[in-house]
Amino acid sequence: MRTFTARHQRGRSRLTWFGLTLILVSVGLIWRLVPLGLNGFALKYGGSVLWAAMIYCLCAALLASQSITATVCLSGFMTLSTELLRLYHEPSLDAFRLTLPGALLLGRIFSLWNLVAYVAGIGFVALCERAATSQPANPSSQTRER
């Protein structure tokens, strides 16, 4: 019997991951822009979790042949870089941050709590992918009755 590593058995579909990215963009925009009656904490950090999950899905589409670990690393790097960019202030960049696209893409204020939300979003999607692509522990251990 031939065995496959998790990387070879998974075979990501770029189309599926781009589709998930678009779904998360839509949910994130509704989350942030439609008055859903969410409290401030859920609105702020729920949006950050969704944004990080969207970044993971985008990275999974771009790195379709790579491992979940590589996708976690790239998406973590991208979200950390974006958060650290908030510490850099330059007039034109600050002006962009005051626009709706700037606020949604880059955010306005640095927060360590955002990093926690990003870990939650990336971790959740990575765990879902791992669960969806894992096989039973030992499928050949089942015996047949003759």
Side-chain angles (χ1 to χ4, degrees):
M1 175 174 258
R2 201 164 126 180
T3 59
F4 295 96
T5 63
R7 180 175 173 184
H8 291 102
Q9 116 195 21
R10 197 171 66 250
R12 286 182 176 153
S13 164
R14 288 183 194 273
L15 186 59
T16 299
W17 286 103
F18 278 128
L20 289 171
T21 300
L22 291 176
I23 289 168
L24 284 169
V25 166
S26 301
V27 171
L29 288 172
I30 290 168
W31 190 274
R32 294 283 184 150
L33 301 177
V34 175
L36 300 172
L38 301 170
N39 66 35
F41 181 85
L43 183 64
K44 167 92 174 97
Y45 296 109
S48 295
V49 168
L50 288 168
W51 182 79
M54 182 270 309
I55 294 294
Y56 180 93
C57 291
L58 181 61
C59 290
L62 297 174
L63 301 175
S65 64
Q66 298 299 312
S67 68
I68 293 172
T69 302
T71 306
V72 167
C73 289
L74 180 61
S75 55
F77 175 77
M78 290 177 65
T79 55
L80 176 63
S81 297
T82 303
E83 191 66 26
L84 291 175
L85 183 62
R86 294 176 187 177
L87 295 172
Y88 177 72
H89 295 281
E90 196 268 335
S92 61
L93 188 58
D94 286 342
F96 177 65
R97 286 182 178 126
L98 293 175
T99 67
L100 180 60
L104 292 172
L105 292 172
L106 299 178
R108 294 185 178 149
I109 299 167
F110 174 83
S111 169
L112 289 174
W113 290 109
N114 280 342
L115 297 176
V116 174
Y118 300 159
V119 168
I122 291 168
F124 178 76
V125 180
L127 288 173
C128 287
E129 181 181 9
R130 173 81 67 208
T133 59
S134 65
Q135 287 185 338
N138 191 357
S140 64
S141 67
Q142 299 174 359
T143 58
R144 288 183 169 173
E145 291 184 32
R146 294 183 193 201

